[in-house]
Amino acid sequence: MAKDPIIIYGRAVQDARNRLRSAQISTMTDVLVAELFKPGTWDGTAFATVFAGWVKKLPAMDDTAGSSLDKRAAKAANRALSAAQVRADDFVTSSGAIQDIYAIGDMLRYVGEYFEFGGGGQDATVNAVNQFRDGLRNQLAFNKANRARRPVTDYDLTEWPDLGIFKNELLDRSVVKYMERFYGPYIGADISGTTTDALDVLAYYVAGASGTGSLYIDAGAAIGLGEEMVPIATMVLQYHHSLMECGLALSLSSKSMQPSSLTDGAALKRFNFYDYATFTNSSTIDPIASVMTRGNQTLARDLAGRGLVIIRDAIDINDNPYADTEIALLLDDPANNRLFDLNSQYTPFAEKRREVMMTEEGYYQNCNPSLTAYASRQFGNLAVAGKSYDDIIRMNSIDLAALKATASTLVFDNLDAALQPDRPGAVLNAQQVAAALKLPPQPQSSAQPASQAQPASQLAPGDEPDADETSLRGIDPNRLRKALAIASLFDN
C-alpha cells in the first residue's frame, strides 16, 4: 500500500539533494571500477585496453589536399585525434595497467570531435557515422528554444575549473533547468550532446569488433554491455553534466534509433531517475547489471525508498517578501512512479514552462518559471497533513513549523527524522549485498569480453519489445564472441 507523501522544508531539502547526489556519485564510481578494472587488480578490462588501442590506431587526415575548407576541417580532426591519442597513453600503460581513469572520458569526447570534422576518411562509413551522430539528438530538446545556455561572462577570470557546469549558465527558458530544479540534482549544463556523441563513437567501435554493419544495433549493444555508462560516469564525476542531462539525451526519441519511419525510437526505452537499470535497458549482463542493482540499493537506502520533488526552491523565494524556505515532498516507490520517468515528463515541462512565461496579454516575460506551476499540475488535488497543496505551497517557515507541531509524522525540517521510520536497512541483508557485489571473472584475452546469452530483460509496463550458422570457417573468434554478446541483447 502506498504511503502518504512526507513534507520536508528548510535545511532538510538541501540535505535530500545531497543524498541523491551522493547515491549517484557512488554508483558512477562503481561503474568505472567494474567496467575498467579487472577484479582485484590495477589492470584494465578487455574493453578498456582494446578501446584504448583502437583509438591509437585511428588514422590521421590528409590536411594538405582539397579546398581550404577541407584543409581546415582535416586539421581540426587531426588536432582532436592527437589529443585523444595522448589521453589514451595517459589512460592505460603498455602493460595494460590503468592510470588515469577519467582519461577515457576525454578520449571519447575528442574522438567525437574527430568524427565531427570528417575524421576517419571520406568514405561511406564515416558519412554514415556522422549522420548517425546528428540523428541521435532529439530535435525538440536540442532546439535553442529549449536548450538555453550561455558561457559564463569572464569565465577565465573566475578561476573555476574548466568543466561544463561551471563554464555555462542556464537561461530561464531552459527546460532541463526547470526539471533539475523540480527533481533536485545540481543544475548543470543543459541536455548533453556529449552523451549522444559518445554513443556514436562507441557504436562505431562496436561495429568494428562485431561486423554487424548496423549502427542502430551497435549502439544498443554498447548500452547493454555497459560501455555507454563509462562516458556518463566520467561526465557526472567530473561535473561536465548532471546524470539527468545524460539520461534525457539518450531517452528522448531520435531519428537514429528509429528502425523504421513507423517507430518512435530512443536509445533508452525508459529513464527512471530512481532505477539505474534503465540506463542499460535492464541488461542482465554482468558486471554492469550487478553494479546497477547495487546502485538501486544504495539509492533506496539513502532516501529510504522515497523519491524527491521540490515544490518551492531558492529561485522561487528570491525577492519574495513572504516565502522564506524551500519545500519538498518525499514520494513512495519512485521507481514505479511515472512522475520519475523523466523522458515522459520532458514535453509536459516544456509546455508548462512556455505557459507560465507568457503574460495574460500574450507576451513572453523574462523570468524563471515557478515550480509551483508544475507541482500544481501533479499535486493540485493532494492533501497532506490535513492541508491542501495550495495551502502548503503558500506557507513560510513559521507556518510550516506550526504544521509540524500538529502533524509530526508527516512534516519535518530534519531529513534523518523524516527518513528514519522507513529506512530499509534490515531488508538489505548481507546475502543480498554480497550477490550484488559479486562480479564475474574477466577473460584474459585482449579481445572484447565474451558474454553468455542471457534471458530477455524485463520491460517496463507498457513497453513493447523491439543466425543461423552456415559456416564458421575464416571467422575471427574474437569478432564472433562480440557478435554473440550483441545478439544476446536483442534476443527478445
Side-chain angles (χ1 to χ4, degrees), residues 7-262:
I7 301 171
I8 58 174
Y9 67 96
R11 179 63 193 178
V13 176
Q14 184 60 30
D15 286 346
R17 288 191 186 100
N18 290 342
R19 299 285 175 88
L20 180 60
R21 295 169 187 154
S22 180
Q24 292 175 354
I25 290 171
S26 175
T27 302
M28 294 304 103
T29 302
D30 286 351
V31 163
L32 294 184
V33 171
E35 287 291 314
L36 303 182
F37 291 93
K38 290 180 181 177
T41 75
W42 296 111
D43 293 335
T45 59
F47 163 67
T49 54
V50 173
F51 181 76
W54 176 79
V55 170
K56 292 179 183 179
K57 293 178 182 177
L58 289 172
M61 297 283 286
D62 181 358
D63 57 14
T64 63
S67 67
S68 59
L69 186 62
D70 290 336
K71 292 176 183 177
R72 283 199 298 270
K75 288 178 181 178
N78 288 341
R79 283 195 297 270
L81 177 61
S82 177
Q85 292 174 338
V86 167
R87 292 302 277 159
D89 284 331
D90 295 337
F91 172 57
V92 61
T93 67
S94 58
S95 62
I98 298 292
Q99 298 181 114
D100 181 351
I101 59 175
Y102 295 108
I104 192 170
D106 294 336
M107 289 158 57
L108 282 157
R109 284 190 289 276
Y110 287 131
V111 174
E113 292 180 18
Y114 166 74
F115 285 131
E116 180 182 359
F117 290 111
Q122 301 300 325
D123 56 33
T125 301
V126 172
N127 290 335
V129 168
N130 279 324
Q131 290 175 11
F132 188 77
R133 170 187 174 275
D134 292 340
L136 281 171
R137 298 188 177 195
N138 177 273
Q139 290 182 312
L140 175 67
F142 281 90
N143 186 286
K144 65 181 181 180
N146 294 317
R147 191 191 195 208
R149 59 181 185 168
R150 66 184 175 198
V152 172
T153 304
D154 292 330
Y155 171 77
D156 292 338
L157 303 178
T158 65
E159 298 183 358
W160 293 343
D162 185 26
L163 301 171
I165 69 168
F166 299 103
K167 292 193 297 184
N168 297 294
E169 60 180 343
L170 302 190
L171 304 182
D172 299 349
R173 68 176 186 271
S174 168
V175 176
V176 167
K177 179 182 180 182
Y178 197 16
M179 296 180 73
E180 287 178 322
R181 290 172 56 203
F182 184 76
Y183 290 106
Y186 49 82
I187 295 175
D190 219 304
I191 193 167
S192 171
T194 311
T195 301
T196 54
D197 290 354
L199 182 59
D200 176 59
V201 171
L202 288 170
Y204 185 77
Y205 163 72
V206 172
S210 67
T212 64
S214 173
L215 291 172
Y216 160 72
I217 293 177
D218 296 327
I223 289 172
L225 293 168
E227 293 170 359
E228 174 66 3
M229 283 307 303
V230 172
I232 290 173
T234 59
M235 283 188 283
V236 170
L237 293 172
Q238 289 183 297
Y239 291 93
H240 283 289
H241 281 284
S242 73
L243 192 64
M244 177 187 290
E245 293 159 9
C246 297
L248 281 172
L250 297 176
S251 62
L252 298 176
S253 62
S254 72
K255 292 179 181 179
S256 291
M257 297 307 292
Q258 294 173 353
S260 78
S261 60
L262 302 177

Side-chain angles (χ1 to χ4, degrees), residues 426-481:
V427 178
L428 302 181
N429 57 58
Q431 189 174 19
Q432 287 176 300
V433 173
L437 286 172
K438 186 177 181 181
L439 302 179
Q442 297 287 333
Q444 299 302 309
S445 167
S446 62
Q448 178 69 24
S451 300
Q452 300 298 319
Q454 301 289 340
S457 58
Q458 205 64 24
L459 296 177
D463 283 346
E464 297 295 332
D466 290 309
D468 292 337
E469 294 182 8
T470 57
S471 173
L472 293 179
R473 290 184 180 179
I475 296 179
D476 186 302
N478 296 331
R479 180 170 292 188
L480 176 61
R481 283 196 292 270

Side-chain angles (χ1 to χ4, degrees), residues 145 171-174 352-370 373:
L171 304 182
D172 299 349
R173 68 176 186 271
S174 168
K352 181 59 68 174
R353 175 198 60 85
R354 180 178 177 179
E355 175 188 323
V356 301
M357 294 180 73
M358 184 177 286
T359 66
E360 292 182 1
E361 293 78 20
Y363 297 102
Y364 288 106
Q365 51 189 339
N366 292 323
C367 66
N368 279 287
S370 170

Side-chain angles (χ1 to χ4, degrees), residues 269-443:
K269 297 182 177 72
R270 174 173 170 253
F271 170 38
N272 185 285
F273 210 43
Y274 288 83
D275 183 359
Y276 293 136
T278 59
F279 273 98
T280 62
N281 286 328
S282 299
S283 172
T284 57
I285 295 177
D286 277 326
I288 198 63
S290 295
V291 172
M292 295 313 188
T293 297
R294 183 169 181 256
N296 286 344
Q297 293 174 339
T298 300
L299 188 56
R301 170 69 185 176
D302 284 2
L303 284 176
R306 301 273 186 159
L308 174 70
V309 293
I310 317 294
I311 60 178
R312 189 171 75 202
D313 69 350
I315 291 175
D316 284 330
I317 66 178
N318 188 36
D319 297 326
N320 187 311
Y322 181 74
D324 63 348
T325 188
E326 295 186 310
I327 308 175
L329 299 176
L330 296 173
L331 305 180
D332 188 37
D333 195 19
N336 295 303
N337 187 334
R338 189 170 173 79
L339 178 62
F340 296 99
D341 284 357
L342 269 58
N343 55 312
S344 70
Q345 298 300 316
Y346 182 89
T347 298
F349 266 99
E351 292 172 346
K352 181 59 68 174
R353 175 198 60 85
R354 180 178 177 179
E355 175 188 323
V356 301
M357 294 180 73
M358 184 177 286
T359 66
E360 292 182 1
E361 293 78 20
Y363 297 102
Y364 288 106
Q365 51 189 339
N366 292 323
C367 66
N368 279 287
S370 170
L371 293 183
T372 299
Y374 197 79
S376 180
R377 178 181 182 273
Q378 299 292 336
F379 310 118
N381 298 321
L382 180 69
V384 181
K387 298 290 185 180
S388 70
Y389 165 81
D390 287 340
D391 289 335
I392 293 167
I393 201 65
R394 290 177 171 82
M395 292 183 174
N396 64 11
S397 57
I398 297 173
D399 301 326
L400 288 162
L403 183 62
K404 176 177 177 289
T406 61
S408 59
T409 61
L410 294 175
V411 184
F412 299 88
D413 60 355
N414 180 285
L415 183 64
D416 288 333
L419 299 178
Q420 194 60 41
D422 296 316
R423 290 184 76 88
V427 178
L428 302 181
N429 57 58
Q431 189 174 19
Q432 287 176 300
V433 173
L437 286 172
K438 186 177 181 181
L439 302 179
Q442 297 287 333

